[in-house]
Amino acid sequence: MEDKPVVSVLMGSRDPKWDRLRRGIKSLQSQTLENWELILWDDGSSPAGAMILEQAALLDSRVLLY
């Protein structure tokens, strides 16, 4: 099986709400296709928003934070 993701999801975010971001990631995790990646882009968040994005990246190894 190939290691590269078949699907890349791009999400820009600035000061996200934790519950909404977590729900979005959980939705990706529940898909039947498992070979995906979420490229999460911090678009100038405050320190608190950046922390939320960092926590979201820890939910799944397929979430990449930039």
Side-chain angles (χ1 to χ4, degrees):
M1 182 172 208
E2 190 173 313
D3 287 33
K4 290 185 179 181
V6 174
V7 173
S8 295
V9 179
L10 305 173
M11 180 188 296
S13 185
R14 181 173 182 220
D15 295 328
K17 302 284 186 212
W18 170 248
D19 58 328
R20 290 182 183 176
L21 183 56
R22 185 179 54 81
R23 270 191 315 215
I25 293 170
K26 294 291 183 188
S27 176
L28 281 172
Q29 290 173 323
S30 68
Q31 300 301 310
T32 55
L33 176 67
E34 295 180 1
N35 200 6
W36 57 265
E37 68 180 350
L38 170 61
I39 299 170
L40 189 55
W41 184 266
D42 183 354
D43 196 18
S45 294
S46 67
M51 186 181 302
I52 290 171
L53 291 168
E54 290 169 8
Q55 291 173 343
L58 295 174
L59 291 174
D60 195 296
S61 62
R62 296 170 289 186
V63 178
L64 309 171
L65 177 59
Y66 294 93

